Amino acid sequence: MSDKIIVNRLAGSIGAEIIGADVKNEHHWPIIRKAFIDFSVISIREQNITPDDHLTFAKRWGEINVNRFFNSLESYPNIAIVLKEADQTAAIGEDWHTDHSYDTKPAMCSILHAIDLPPYGGDTCFSSQYAAYDALSNKMKKMLDGQYAWHSSRHAFGETAKSDAQHKTGNFKNANKATQDALHPVVITHPLSGKKALYVNSGFTSHIKGLAAWESDSILSGLKQFIASTPRLTCRVSWEPNTLTFWDNRCTQHHAVWDYWPDTRSGERVSILGSERPAA
Ligand code: SIN
């Protein structure tokens, strides 16, 4: 194989960009897989692909997880549209979150293809949850290891959220299906790397099982604050036309930066079902 594929790290804790790869070429998949395991978030540049190519690449990693709440691409119910338009007052993903953690079997990874980009801004920040766990004190690790937390979709996508700015965008559907609550370990062991990762997020984690509300709130808000305020855990993906970013939801969180109003940004996202539940 003579193709020259370059993998450039984006930051110390997480992230790489890949230049020269073609997701339609299965000979490139081992390099892509290795970079995905090593860096948790990979931005593969210059992927001029169709929705069918996107799905073929996604299916190589596992079964597709159909998002119940995002609008989908016409004729492609498996491809969710991530859209921000000028008249919206809230943007999808503008808080730190892990996709689908409210599911019993959450999406193990997501693959977002940039379609329309604003003239500036619109980056996505990713945070390594391996690095987040490693940075905790031994006493805190000991306290969190073995704990379980509830994750919910109700407050984000459900009937009670219908008056929120996000719902008024018209980008969400099926509020009546937002009934998922899932219990996951607060610290999980990644099935591929064998490393431990923190698995709570601002978007969907509601409380730690077995603790009083004030106890759970103080621990979760401390952890969420830590994630939101620690740049050394992060990398920042700057999108280019046809960038395809592939991230591992089991060991990352992300935050879409909305700094380009009134310009539009859109992308097509495919999520892949995990083969197993997150385990301690
Ligand atoms: C998402 O939260 O999945 C969307 C990320 C992005 O728009 O960059």
Side-chain angles (χ1 to χ4, degrees), residues 70 82-83 92-95 97 99 110 112 122-126 239 247 254-257 260 265 267 269:
F70 285 27
V82 175
L83 174 67
I92 285 176
E94 210 204 3
D95 59 352
H97 66 284
D99 294 339
S110 303
L112 182 63
D123 293 352
T124 308
C125 299
F126 289 88
W239 297 86
W247 65 86
H254 56 282
H255 166 107
V257 180
Y260 46 88
R265 174 181 181 273
R269 195 184 84 185

Side-chain angles (χ1 to χ4, degrees), residues 55 57-65 108 271-273:
L55 286 170
F57 177 65
K59 282 178 190 162
R60 185 256 170 270
W61 312 101
E63 197 184 321
I64 306 298
N65 180 325
M108 90 174 188
S271 297
I272 297 156
L273 198 61

Side-chain angles (χ1 to χ4, degrees), residues 83-153:
L83 174 67
K84 172 73 187 63
E85 291 174 300
D87 58 350
Q88 291 178 202
T89 55
I92 285 176
E94 210 204 3
D95 59 352
W96 283 102
H97 66 284
T98 304
D99 294 339
H100 292 230
S101 75
Y102 47 79
D103 284 333
T104 313
K105 259 203 219 169
M108 90 174 188
C109 56
S110 303
I111 307 174
L112 182 63
H113 187 212
I115 303 296
D116 290 320
L117 291 173
Y120 55 81
D123 293 352
T124 308
C125 299
F126 289 88
S127 171
S128 167
Q129 300 309 285
Y130 294 139
Y133 178 77
D134 288 347
L136 300 176
S137 66
N138 286 337
K139 281 193 177 173
M140 182 58 108
K141 285 179 184 161
K142 210 168 165 188
M143 189 170 84
L144 296 177
D145 279 330
Q147 301 301 324
Y148 281 75
W150 287 101
H151 297 239
S152 179
S153 62

Side-chain angles (χ1 to χ4, degrees), residues 9-264:
R9 286 182 79 153
L10 292 177
S13 298
I14 184 172
E17 71 168 358
I18 303 186
I19 297 164
D22 177 358
V23 299
K24 298 195 293 298
N25 183 343
E26 64 187 64
H27 298 296
H28 294 183
W29 290 350
I31 295 174
I32 291 172
R33 181 176 188 274
K34 181 170 181 340
F36 175 72
I37 296 171
D38 290 347
F39 302 112
S40 308
V41 174
I42 50 174
S43 277
I44 313 168
R45 302 296 187 187
E46 295 182 32
Q47 300 305 304
N48 189 5
I49 55 170
T50 64
D52 287 311
D53 296 331
H54 193 168
L55 286 170
T56 302
F57 177 65
K59 282 178 190 162
R60 185 256 170 270
W61 312 101
E63 197 184 321
I64 306 298
N65 180 325
V66 181
N67 189 293
R68 297 176 287 284
F69 309 121
F70 285 27
N71 289 330
S72 54
L73 191 62
E74 203 178 335
S75 309
Y76 289 92
N78 290 347
I79 301 185
I81 298 177
V82 175
L83 174 67
K84 172 73 187 63
E85 291 174 300
D87 58 350
Q88 291 178 202
T89 55
I92 285 176
E94 210 204 3
D95 59 352
W96 283 102
H97 66 284
T98 304
D99 294 339
H100 292 230
S101 75
Y102 47 79
D103 284 333
T104 313
K105 259 203 219 169
M108 90 174 188
C109 56
S110 303
I111 307 174
L112 182 63
H113 187 212
I115 303 296
D116 290 320
L117 291 173
Y120 55 81
D123 293 352
T124 308
C125 299
F126 289 88
S127 171
S128 167
Q129 300 309 285
Y130 294 139
Y133 178 77
D134 288 347
L136 300 176
S137 66
N138 286 337
K139 281 193 177 173
M140 182 58 108
K141 285 179 184 161
K142 210 168 165 188
M143 189 170 84
L144 296 177
D145 279 330
Q147 301 301 324
Y148 281 75
W150 287 101
H151 297 239
S152 179
S153 62
R154 296 167 199 265
H155 60 286
F157 301 115
E159 298 288 349
T160 53
K162 268 183 154 171
S163 57
D164 290 359
Q166 273 290 10
H167 283 259
K168 291 186 177 155
T169 62
N171 286 336
F172 291 162
K173 60 182 182 186
N174 291 333
N176 62 333
K177 293 191 181 156
T179 52
Q180 296 79 17
D181 291 322
L183 193 61
H184 300 304
V186 169
V187 177
I188 65 171
T189 303
H190 195 286
L192 291 178
S193 68
K195 292 195 283 186
K196 287 188 170 186
L198 197 57
Y199 196 72
V200 293
N201 67 85
S202 295
F204 305 119
T205 313
S206 54
H207 61 277
I208 299 177
K209 186 183 171 203
L211 295 190
W214 72 266
E215 294 171 329
S216 168
D217 287 351
S218 33
I219 294 170
L220 284 180
S221 68
L223 292 172
K224 291 170 183 177
Q225 181 64 26
F226 171 57
I227 301 305
S229 64
T230 311
R232 78 187 140 86
L233 306 177
T234 70
C235 72
R236 196 164 169 133
V237 166
S238 291
W239 297 86
E240 293 167 6
N242 282 322
T243 295
L244 187 79
T245 299
F246 180 18
W247 65 86
D248 190 331
N249 287 310
R250 297 164 293 190
C251 53
T252 67
Q253 295 192 31
H254 56 282
H255 166 107
V257 180
W258 179 30
D259 57 354
Y260 46 88
W261 186 88
D263 285 299
T264 295

